[in-house]
Each structure stands twice: as C-alpha cells, then as structure tokens.
Amino acid sequence: MPNSAKNKVVRINDDALRQFTGYSMKRAFNAIQSDVTRTLAPFGLRMITFSALAMISDNEGLSQSQLAAGLAIERPNLVVIIDELERRDLISRERVPTDRRTYALQLTPEGVALLATASEALLEHEARMMREVAPEDMANMLAALRLIENANTKAETGRTG
Amino acid sequence: MPNSAKNKVVRINDDALRQFTGYSMKRAFNAIQSDVTRTLAPFGLRMITFSALAMISDNEGLSQSQLAAGLAIERPNLVVIIDELERRDLISRERVPTDRRTYALQLTPEGVALLATASEALLEHEARMMREVAPEDMANMLAALRLIENANTKAETGRTG
DNA sequence: TATTGTTATACTCTATAACTATA
DNA sequence: TATAGTTATAGAGTATAACAATA
C-alpha cells in the first residue's frame, strides 16, 4: 500500500524551506515586485525603466556603461531600455566632445515630471505594503539587507602570506 | 554648453533609489540568488529544483498541482521540473487509486540523500552570507519579510456596509 | 590594444491557451 | 461541467560573442 493512500495532504507546509533565508527573501520580493509592476504600469514603466530614470536623475551626464554597471545589468541589455526611454522623450543623449564614443544621459523635462509622479505613487504603495512593519524594524531590515548585499562568501579564516 | 561637459560623473550614486525598499530587496536578493545558484550547481540542482525536493519531503504524497501552488509557480512550468527530478530518480510518482488523474509525489532514497547534502551546503553558505547580521536582527528581518509577503495593498479605510 | 555602444543570439524563467484523461 | 497533468508557445529577463567607431 503506497504511502500516498494514507497520507492525504491537506495544506502545503513550507516549514522546511523557511530555514533558508533565500526562500523567505524570494517570497517577499515576489510580493513587492508584483506590487511595483502593477503600480508602474499606468505610467508605462517597468521596474528597470523606472530605476534607469531614477539613476540618470541622480547621476546626470553619466554614460550607458556607467548606468549599466550601476543597475547591475549587461550593456547590451541596456540598449533597448535606453532606446525606449529616448523614443518616449523621457531622456536625451548628448555626444561628449572629449570622448566621442560615449553618450551623456540626462532626463528631459518630461522625464523629470514622470519620475516625480511615478516615485510618489511608488512610495505610497510601498508604505502600504510595509505598514505592518514598525519603522525601527524597517530600518534594521534595510541595514541587514545592505550587509547581505555586500557580503562575500569567501572564507576569511587563515592567512595566505 | 551641455551639462554633461561640466558634470563628470565619477562614481555612480544610488541614494535616490535607496528610498525604495524594493530596490534594496532586489539587490540583496540578487546577491543571495547568485550564491545559492553557485552552491547548488555541484549537486545538479537549481533554486527551484531544490525547493521542489524540500517541499515534497515536507509534504509527502502531495500532487503536482499542490506542489505548483506551494512553490508559487504555474502548473505547466512544474512539469519539466518533475520530469527532470524523476529522470534522475530523485522523486517517484505514484498513481492515486482514489483519483487516477493525480500523481502522489515522494522522494526516493537518492532524493532524500541529495536533499540532506545540498541542504547542509546551503545552510553553511547562507550562514557565511549572513554572518555580519546579528542573530536578533536576522529574526527581526525574517519576521518583517513575512509581513511584507502577506501584505495586501488594498486600502482598508472606510467601511462598505 | 582597449573601450563605448551596438547587433545578434541563446538560455532561463514565467504566463496563457488548449488538449487528454479522468472525475 | 470541472480538475490534473500535459503540450505548445510566447513574452520577459539575462548572458556572451563579435562588430564599428573611437580612444
């Protein structure tokens, strides 16, 4: 008699997976990502296009290579994003006189306006998602996330020299 | 004279994006995902195949539909995962006598052994990634992540009845 | 030689429609 | 009719190689 016949699963249990931080991170991030996607859609923006606008705003005149590095994406994948934002007149590209290979990126007035409106909407939605988390717990979580982001998993025991 | 000529960007600044929790979550999750991927690769496992093994172990006899729901993926996408795990003799499928449409999933002895070994490796790697985070901060972070995962962004102000 | 932006391409992950066999 | 598993397919996101223009 197979186990399955006597063990009717009533509710799925993920206790075993909850011991892995990565699992809880993925579940929480998926929830946030869904909300961000829904929130930005009315503005014709995705997570990555919004992030590109924000980073250009924060680093006016940066190059595509710098933006790709900042967003942690590959240069080829940035090209279509830049094309789309330029076609919508949200950003402009200017040739840099001192290095004619690179483009200096900046927001147009339309880009500035859209970034401001979308940022406001996003902050509102995020506040609603986080409203059950106490402010000091949020601050602690963000600090912990930063430590994790910058962690390297190389063992540091033992000297080589 | 273009702004870009006078504003040489020296280092990319993401302060503006750091006000959005989703951005910090994505950066931290990417770091964890990279480490998990590297850690599981020697076992021939990916994040999703490892999670499937763990969830089958924790819910022996569950169906593919239940597993897909538990892993928050679509049923069609689970099929190839199940096929792969079965082909490697890590799981087995048994027809359920009372409902011949469904399969009851369970780990084989090989599956149990691989899950144990991979889990150990993963816990070690995660401990190294999190070693800069104090234990109480980790506990607080996991609690906050759980609240975020279960948040719904619908406004609850105002009664309808 | 090396770098910037670009094209082409491929691989993974994810989402939907529609089929079959069972209920 | 509804559900479980499946097939086919399409869309994102992501990664690498290689090219032209420029340094």
Side-chain angles (χ1 to χ4, degrees):
Chain A
M1 179 184 189
N3 243 340
S4 50
K6 54 182 190 232
N7 292 349
K8 266 280 167 59
V9 175
V10 281
R11 201 178 174 286
I12 304 304
N13 176 16
D14 67 352
D15 289 354
L17 280 166
R18 286 289 172 188
Q19 67 185 312
F20 301 100
T21 310
Y23 178 77
S24 288
M25 288 266 317
K26 182 165 176 58
R27 304 290 296 216
F29 177 66
N30 282 350
I32 290 186
Q33 192 175 35
S34 294
D35 189 62
V36 169
T37 301
R38 269 196 311 269
T39 304
L40 292 179
F43 305 104
L45 293 174
R46 291 166 295 147
M47 222 175 193
I48 190 64
T49 50
F50 173 84
S51 298
L53 289 181
M55 200 164 269
I56 293 170
S57 171
D58 222 15
N59 300 272
E60 216 167 330
L62 87 172
S63 69
Q64 291 186 198
S65 288
Q66 288 175 316
L67 180 57
L71 293 173
I73 66 175
E74 298 300 317
R75 270 73 70 214
N77 297 329
L78 183 64
V79 172
V80 288
I81 293 165
I82 290 296
D83 285 348
E84 177 189 331
L85 294 175
E86 191 186 31
R87 183 176 40 76
R88 292 176 60 192
D89 286 322
L90 297 172
I91 65 170
S92 67
R93 297 199 265 206
E94 293 190 33
R95 281 287 185 195
V96 174
T98 55
D99 186 344
R100 299 201 30 253
R101 293 173 301 183
T102 78
Y103 288 110
L105 305 174
Q106 50 194 324
L107 297 190
T108 63
E110 292 88 345
V112 171
L114 184 63
L115 176 61
T117 315
S119 291
E120 194 183 4
L122 207 48
L123 285 172
E124 270 176 35
H125 264 260
E126 283 209 343
R128 268 198 238 157
M129 281 216 93
M130 316 298 170
R131 70 186 153 183
E132 302 286 344
V133 183
E136 63 267 30
D137 288 339
M138 274 299 299
N140 283 341
M141 183 183 83
L142 290 173
L145 289 176
R146 203 64 182 265
L147 289 172
I148 292 168
E149 175 183 336
N150 295 323
N152 80 353
T153 45
K154 295 208 185 72
E156 273 162 9
T157 56
R159 306 277 199 104
T160 49
Chain B
M1 179 186 189
N3 240 341
S4 50
K6 54 180 190 236
N7 292 350
K8 265 281 169 56
V9 176
V10 281
R11 201 178 175 285
I12 304 304
N13 176 15
D14 67 353
D15 289 353
L17 280 167
R18 286 288 173 188
Q19 67 185 311
F20 301 100
T21 310
Y23 178 77
S24 288
M25 288 264 319
K26 182 165 175 58
R27 304 290 296 216
F29 177 66
N30 281 352
I32 290 186
Q33 192 175 35
S34 294
D35 189 62
V36 169
T37 301
R38 268 195 311 271
T39 304
L40 292 178
F43 304 104
L45 293 174
R46 291 165 294 146
M47 223 176 192
I48 190 64
T49 50
F50 173 84
S51 298
L53 290 181
M55 199 164 270
I56 293 170
S57 171
D58 222 15
N59 301 272
E60 214 167 329
L62 86 173
S63 69
Q64 292 186 198
S65 289
Q66 288 175 316
L67 180 57
L71 293 173
I73 66 175
E74 298 301 316
R75 271 73 72 215
N77 297 328
L78 183 63
V79 173
V80 289
I81 293 166
I82 291 296
D83 285 348
E84 177 189 332
L85 294 176
E86 191 185 31
R87 183 176 40 76
R88 292 176 60 191
D89 286 322
L90 298 172
I91 66 171
S92 67
R93 296 200 265 206
E94 292 190 34
R95 282 286 185 196
V96 175
T98 55
D99 186 344
R100 299 203 27 255
R101 293 172 300 182
T102 78
Y103 288 110
L105 304 173
Q106 51 196 323
L107 297 190
T108 63
E110 292 88 344
V112 171
L114 184 63
L115 176 60
T117 315
S119 291
E120 193 183 4
L122 207 49
L123 285 173
E124 270 175 35
H125 264 260
E126 283 209 342
R128 267 197 239 159
M129 279 216 96
M130 316 297 168
R131 71 186 152 182
E132 302 287 344
V133 183
E136 63 267 31
D137 288 339
M138 273 301 298
N140 284 339
M141 183 183 84
L142 290 173
L145 289 177
R146 202 65 181 267
L147 289 173
I148 292 167
E149 175 183 336
N150 295 322
N152 80 353
T153 46
K154 296 208 183 72
E156 274 161 10
T157 55
R159 305 282 198 98
T160 50

